[in-house]
Amino acid sequence: MTNYRAWDRKADELCREAEEEEEALGLSDGPKGPPTVQAEKELHSLGAHSKQRNDFIAWQHEREITLTHSQDGTVDLSEYKGKAIRLKGCKAVKYVVPCGGVLKLMLDSCSDVQLHLQGSLVTSTLELYKCQQVEVTLDQPLGTLQVDECAKDLLVRFAERDFFGKAYHQNSPGFAIAFGLTGGAASSQTIGREGAYQLMSCIAEGSLHTEPVRRGEGEFPLDLGRAAKRQDQPEPEALPAAEERQKEAERQRIAGNEMFRASDFAQAAALYTLALEMAPDMGSVWANRAQCWLKLGDHEKALADAKKCTEVEPTNPKGWFRQGMSLHAMQRYAEAIPLLLEAEKLEPSNRQIQDAIKMAQMKARNTA
């Protein structure tokens, strides 16, 4: 009779001997050809990437906080510098961000809320999801605005037209934008639409355009900053030299605005300079470059550019306002007041101008 158990024990012993010999020879994992070696390298690399991703997610969670308020009154968010703030389920609250330093803001399922961003966001990104009866006022440029599932009464007001970067929105028929700090909802323009497709809105060639987002490989959006050109449009005829220079100036102005929204003020000033070389009568560009100099701390240059703005475009309130702010920065408060008053004549309901006048008057009295 065959003893199968004895054979099994013998087979186990032979296997153990073979494994010990392979380990002694450094072949415990068996010989590896080039495909196996490459596969192991890729697995190791993926493991490293996975760790980096997990570390990034952990870092992001450490810096993101969620706040919920349901009360009448004003909440100052300046204490959360260096944080990404998610306002979730908030009702009947007014929020103020008086200075920069907040990474990012997200409003989630909020209603009857006002948000006043006086300072800029580090990532230049604001997100709104399932919000209604919400009004956002932006005193500083914003690069990206994301709006989803906002069915009604969402107004985003930009202090200046050039502060509007790109807005991506989906199924948000209540989404409207307005320019300038004066005027109510009647001066706004509804750009949101109902539907499961994503839209992108931006300023292209001086006008507000809204187009469906086209996506390429990996669902990456192809429309990043300008409205899609219709395929059936014929190629434009060659423009006369003067018109071509004006068009090039407009391109440089738009590029400068993008750099300004990204807080790259030196590059923005360089691009505005190129625009002014092509079209020196663009008052808004003189005013924008003055703002760059203010941000960079060069108050003399800011004052000179703001004066040039009022020379070529006397009815532009930015020129008068930035002359006043330049003098204010140089502590020449008494000189700043009449210039700020000129700006107020052109925009009598602008809260920024009113606040600047009060501050200059107070400083002038204190230093008299």
Side-chain angles (χ1 to χ4, degrees):
M1 181 176 179
T2 306
N3 188 342
Y4 290 105
R5 290 184 179 177
W7 280 107
D8 288 341
R9 285 196 297 271
K10 184 64 174 176
D12 289 340
E13 290 174 4
L14 291 171
C15 286
R16 281 196 298 271
E17 290 175 4
E19 288 173 358
E20 290 171 0
E21 184 178 356
E22 287 179 353
E23 188 172 355
L25 294 172
L27 299 173
S28 55
D29 294 328
K32 302 174 184 176
T36 304
V37 173
Q38 181 62 27
E40 289 188 351
K41 285 182 179 179
E42 290 178 0
L43 282 172
H44 179 74
S45 176
L46 286 172
H49 287 307
S50 179
K51 183 180 184 303
Q52 290 174 358
R53 179 177 178 275
N54 291 336
D55 289 346
F56 175 76
I57 292 172
W59 176 87
Q60 192 175 35
H61 285 166
E62 288 176 4
R63 282 156 179 77
E64 182 176 317
I65 59 169
T66 299
L67 303 174
T68 300
H69 299 94
S70 182
Q71 61 187 23
D72 292 326
T74 300
V75 178
D76 188 338
L77 298 176
S78 59
E79 64 180 288
Y80 301 106
K81 284 185 178 181
K83 300 284 188 181
I85 304 172
R86 181 181 297 275
L87 302 175
K88 187 173 178 65
C90 302
K91 296 179 181 179
V93 189
K94 180 178 180 180
Y95 291 100
V96 178
V97 183
C99 55
V102 172
L103 290 178
K104 180 180 179 180
L105 264 176
M106 297 153 278
L107 276 68
D108 184 347
S109 305
C110 296
S111 62
D112 192 20
V113 167
Q114 295 181 47
L115 170 64
H116 190 181
L117 269 169
Q118 298 171 337
S120 57
L121 299 172
V122 174
T123 61
S124 197
T125 301
L126 174 65
E127 297 180 7
L128 300 106
Y129 174 70
K130 286 190 175 180
C131 294
Q132 61 179 353
Q133 294 180 316
V134 169
E135 181 171 346
V136 179
T137 301
L138 297 160
D139 292 353
Q140 300 294 331
L142 185 73
T144 303
L145 176 63
Q146 179 77 43
V147 178
D148 293 301
E149 306 296 331
C150 295
K152 58 182 179 180
D153 299 335
L154 168 62
L155 175 63
V156 180
R157 183 179 295 279
F158 294 85
E160 298 182 16
R161 191 178 183 85
D162 291 340
F163 288 1
F164 178 50
K166 297 182 285 290
Y168 292 93
H169 47 104
Q170 181 174 321
N171 197 30
S172 298
F175 173 36
I177 64 171
F179 300 111
L181 297 179
T182 60
S187 64
S188 65
Q189 180 176 349
T190 299
I191 60 174
R193 300 174 193 171
E194 188 174 359
Y197 50 90
Q198 190 178 46
L199 300 168
M200 189 274 289
S201 299
C202 68
I203 303 292
E205 298 180 354
S207 301
L208 180 62
H209 291 268
T210 297
E211 300 285 349
V213 173
R214 298 178 300 129
R215 295 187 178 274
E217 185 177 352
E219 290 297 296
F220 188 79
L222 299 176
D223 304 305
L224 291 175
R226 53 181 60 117
K229 180 182 176 181
R230 289 178 50 186
Q231 297 300 316
D232 57 351
Q233 288 182 341
E235 290 297 320
E237 296 180 3
L239 293 172
E243 291 183 38
E244 183 60 41
R245 289 174 65 85
Q246 191 70 33
K247 195 168 183 179
E248 178 61 23
E250 179 66 14
R251 282 195 289 267
Q252 299 295 347
R253 184 190 70 82
I254 292 171
N257 291 346
E258 291 177 357
M259 289 296 100
F260 190 94
R261 285 190 288 269
S263 298
D264 191 344
F265 305 118
Q267 183 63 24
L271 290 164
Y272 290 143
T273 299
L274 292 175
L276 292 169
E277 288 174 356
M278 296 288 175
D281 59 345
M282 297 176 76
S284 63
V285 180
W286 287 108
N288 289 354
R289 197 173 72 169
Q291 183 69 358
C292 290
W293 300 134
L294 279 171
K295 292 285 187 180
L296 294 168
D298 196 332
H299 307 132
E300 292 286 354
K301 283 186 177 180
L303 180 60
D305 276 5
K307 284 181 177 178
K308 188 66 178 178
C309 170
T310 56
E311 288 174 11
V312 300
E313 196 177 331
T315 58
N316 190 328
K318 291 186 200 176
W320 299 105
F321 179 65
R322 284 171 189 161
Q323 282 187 66
M325 294 309 293
S326 301
L327 290 167
H328 191 285
M330 291 186 279
Q331 300 182 5
R332 294 159 61 181
Y333 307 116
E335 296 176 62
I337 293 170
L339 296 164
L340 294 171
L341 290 172
E342 286 296 324
E344 189 184 35
K345 289 178 186 176
L346 296 167
E347 280 194 1
S349 301
N350 190 314
R351 293 191 299 272
Q352 272 189 307
I353 298 174
Q354 293 169 2
D355 291 343
I357 292 170
K358 291 176 184 176
M359 181 61 70
Q361 289 172 337
M362 183 186 71
K363 290 283 190 179
R365 285 195 298 269
N366 291 340
T367 56

